[in-house]
Amino acid sequence: QVQLVESGGGLVQAGGSLRLSCAASGRTFGTYTVGWFRQAPGKEREFVAAISGNGGVTAYEDSVKGRFTISRDNAKKTVYLQMNSLKPEDTAVYYCAALYLGWSQEPNSYAYWGQGTQVTVSS
């Protein structure tokens, strides 16, 4: 089992950057794929990015490719989402989630979730 805590959200102007962190507890963090998802008001939760347990495989939603970078440091049990060139449409609550020994971009596949961190991008 793993517990997740996100941090790093905030208010930023369009074109700015933020780095989100997802800190995990648990002894086998490297066996979990970690994904970032976001949910804007009135919209469904959507996939943003994912990284495999050893960091060797990553995936991104099309609208964030080239702007967002997901990475992980298993020694620190932390996954990062570097967000550059932010746009107002990136405004949402961002969640990290963990999937044991699997790979998916579907939120329903992830068993463990953090509480979320708000990202607001002003125009």
Side-chain angles (χ1 to χ4, degrees):
Q1 198 167 10
V2 62
Q3 287 81 43
L4 304 171
V5 178
E6 303 96 335
S7 62
L11 173 64
V12 65
Q13 289 188 333
S17 298
L18 284 173
R19 188 177 81 157
L20 305 184
S21 297
C22 173
S25 63
R27 294 185 298 171
T28 58
F29 181 62
T31 62
Y32 289 85
T33 288
V34 175
W36 284 98
F37 298 83
R38 64 187 180 187
Q39 187 165 20
K43 295 187 177 181
E44 293 187 353
R45 192 168 297 189
E46 67 173 0
F47 170 77
V48 176
I51 188 166
S52 62
N54 65 3
V57 180
T58 59
Y60 298 91
E61 192 268 330
D62 285 346
S63 71
V64 307
K65 285 180 181 177
R67 300 188 299 123
F68 292 9
T69 302
I70 190 170
S71 61
R72 68 189 296 159
D73 183 337
N74 284 347
K76 296 182 178 179
K77 297 182 181 179
T78 302
V79 172
Y80 305 97
L81 185 68
Q82 178 67 44
M83 306 187 296
N84 298 329
S85 302
L86 282 161
K87 303 175 180 180
E89 52 263 43
D90 294 318
T91 295
V93 177
Y94 283 70
Y95 300 88
C96 66
L99 167 61
Y100 181 65
L101 291 181
W103 178 262
S104 177
Q105 298 179 12
E106 296 298 325
N108 289 341
S109 298
Y110 288 73
Y112 306 100
W113 290 81
Q115 81 289 350
T117 186
Q118 176 70 47
V119 171
T120 303
V121 184
S122 63
S123 57

